[in-house]
Amino acid sequence: MGVRLSALLPPFAFLAAVFPAATAFAEEQGYADHPQAEALIQEVVKKGVDEKRARELLSQARRQDKILESIARPAEHTMTWARYQKIFLQQERVDAGVAFARENREELARAEAEYGVPREIILAIIGVETYYGRHKGTYRVLDALTTLGFDYPPRASFFRGQLVALMEMENQAHIDASEITGSYAGAMGLAQFIPTSYQAYAVDYDQDGVTDLVNSPADAIGSVANYFHRHHWQPGLPVAARARIEGQGYQALAKKGYKPSFSLATARKNGVVAVSCQDDTLGSEYCFDLADDTQVALLDLTGEKGHEFWMVTRNFYVITRYNHSELYAMAVLQLSRQLAHALEEDRS
């Protein structure tokens, strides 16, 4: 039995070995002459993008090997919860969130009232994504999306779609597609929206005529709230509770993933019970008392003290629509709780 090439090479080297075309275009060449460039150009022209501008952007784009290395090993897929939480659950980030909330108090209150999304959740998203604007990304979005769209076969089609949207956005969002910077995956601004999310969910919340997620905190706040609202955030529904486990019935439930797929009654039959807010023996603020037919999921995370069992609701799943990771959603949840406490103290 042969040994798989992927077992011998690191992720990026594996891609280069299996897809030699991924190394065919040097960093100084650009992508205008890539074999798949013409099809993309014709696609964006049909959407109203000037053909000359599209060719110009592709010729300016540069391959970034660091982007390919980063996407091959995202933190959400390589870390335990014990390690991941230390990145985001820091007092400095909470303090920065409180300062951001003070500066944008009216916009946060308006967004919470209009969309039903708690201000601390909105704040936590922006805090996790960009540390309230401190880290909006240093890669040119154009480079990120062309590198991934043409040289990352596993998700090339998706990222070429993002590149098409980026070119469309030059007129729609009044950005310069050759200059705007963001993450290695092409996410932009305070809220780190990818281009198609920018098109679908971004709002001009300060009503200045431009939807600007890069420079306008108000637009970022309104857009995050709108994103959650459009993904069916349920106002008043708790996000998660710690869970008590008896026996081995929990194992089958934990394998179902973080999308709610069984009821609290079913969980109880399998030895899993959410911590009640009337029971303080666990000493956790993460609790809820919901109807037996509430749909939930069970998480088994590796925390600092070993297994951490969590019962999560549909609202937890909504957070994962922002980033498809249970670790990400848990970081947002716990940062939001820290922010809520800090904001209460800030009021007093």
Side-chain angles (χ1 to χ4, degrees), residues 84 88 93 97 100 108 117-133 135 188-193 213 220-228 233 315-325 327-337 339:
Y84 188 86
F88 301 107
R93 198 176 299 256
F100 184 86
L108 285 163
V117 182
R119 60 177 181 163
E120 61 265 23
I121 291 288
I122 300 170
L123 285 168
I125 288 287
I126 298 173
V128 168
E129 291 292 341
T130 62
Y131 209 135
Y132 305 101
H135 308 305
M188 301 169 285
L190 285 155
Q192 292 289 279
F193 274 27
L213 301 189
I221 289 167
S223 297
V224 170
N226 183 47
Y227 189 98
F228 273 64
W233 177 271
N315 276 353
F316 185 90
Y317 181 72
V318 172
I319 299 175
T320 68
R321 300 308 83 200
Y322 214 98
N323 182 316
H324 296 187
S325 163
L327 299 186
Y328 174 89
M330 188 58 70
V332 169
L333 170 62
Q334 295 201 15
L335 179 60
S336 76
R337 288 292 181 88
L339 286 163

Side-chain angles (χ1 to χ4, degrees), residues 42-309:
Q42 296 309 313
E43 181 180 354
V44 297
V45 168
K46 290 179 181 178
K47 293 178 177 290
V49 176
D50 179 72
E51 180 176 343
K52 182 179 178 181
R53 178 56 173 165
R55 293 186 185 279
E56 178 184 25
L57 287 170
L58 288 177
S59 68
Q60 292 176 7
R62 293 294 180 267
R63 171 192 165 97
Q64 300 287 343
D65 287 347
K66 287 184 178 179
I67 288 172
L68 294 170
E69 294 168 2
S70 295
I71 202 166
R73 49 177 74 89
E76 290 84 0
H77 294 167
T78 60
M79 292 186 185
T80 63
W81 169 236
R83 184 179 175 194
Y84 188 86
Q85 65 180 314
K86 293 178 181 178
I87 300 173
F88 301 107
L89 304 182
Q90 308 158 331
Q91 187 59 47
E92 292 84 356
R93 198 176 299 256
V94 174
D95 293 342
V98 171
F100 184 86
R102 287 184 193 136
E103 295 170 2
N104 300 281
R105 192 183 308 275
E106 292 182 6
E107 291 82 359
L108 285 163
R110 180 159 62 97
E112 182 169 2
E114 182 175 351
Y115 294 106
V117 182
R119 60 177 181 163
E120 61 265 23
I121 291 288
I122 300 170
L123 285 168
I125 288 287
I126 298 173
V128 168
E129 291 292 341
T130 62
Y131 209 135
Y132 305 101
R134 296 184 189 182
H135 308 305
K136 289 184 280 191
T138 58
Y139 292 104
R140 279 202 313 170
V141 174
L142 177 64
D143 292 340
L145 296 180
T146 49
T147 296
L148 296 172
F150 292 113
D151 288 344
Y152 185 61
R155 298 194 68 197
S157 178
F158 171 81
F159 285 108
R160 284 199 299 273
Q162 298 305 316
L163 180 57
V164 168
L166 176 70
M167 292 185 182
E168 289 184 277
M169 283 173 54
E170 282 209 300
N171 293 325
Q172 298 170 350
H174 303 282
I175 66 169
D176 186 334
S178 66
E179 293 186 1
I180 190 169
T181 58
S183 74
Y184 70 79
M188 301 169 285
L190 285 155
Q192 292 289 279
F193 274 27
I194 57 176
T196 54
S197 290
Y198 208 121
Q199 290 178 315
Y201 305 110
V203 295
D204 177 16
Y205 214 53
D206 59 13
Q207 301 179 328
D208 66 352
V210 179
T211 304
D212 181 3
L213 301 189
V214 177
N215 303 299
S216 170
D219 286 1
I221 289 167
S223 297
V224 170
N226 183 47
Y227 189 98
F228 273 64
H229 173 71
R230 293 276 296 277
H231 284 82
H232 310 295
W233 177 271
Q234 298 178 37
L237 178 67
V239 177
R242 293 296 298 272
R244 299 180 187 279
I245 304 296
E246 290 185 7
Q248 302 301 312
Y250 78 91
Q251 295 178 347
L253 299 183
K255 291 178 180 178
K256 292 179 178 291
Y258 53 70
K259 184 175 183 179
S261 60
F262 53 87
S263 68
L264 281 171
T266 297
R268 187 166 57 251
K269 290 178 182 178
N270 285 272
V272 183
V273 179
V275 170
S276 168
C277 295
Q278 309 304 315
D279 178 5
D280 61 0
T281 57
L282 188 63
S284 174
E285 67 172 304
Y286 296 98
C287 59
F288 57 59
D289 296 279
L290 299 171
D292 283 352
D293 61 354
T294 303
Q295 292 292 294
V296 293
L298 177 66
L299 306 184
D300 179 2
L301 304 181
T302 303
E304 292 183 340
K305 298 180 180 179
H307 289 281
E308 283 187 18
F309 295 104

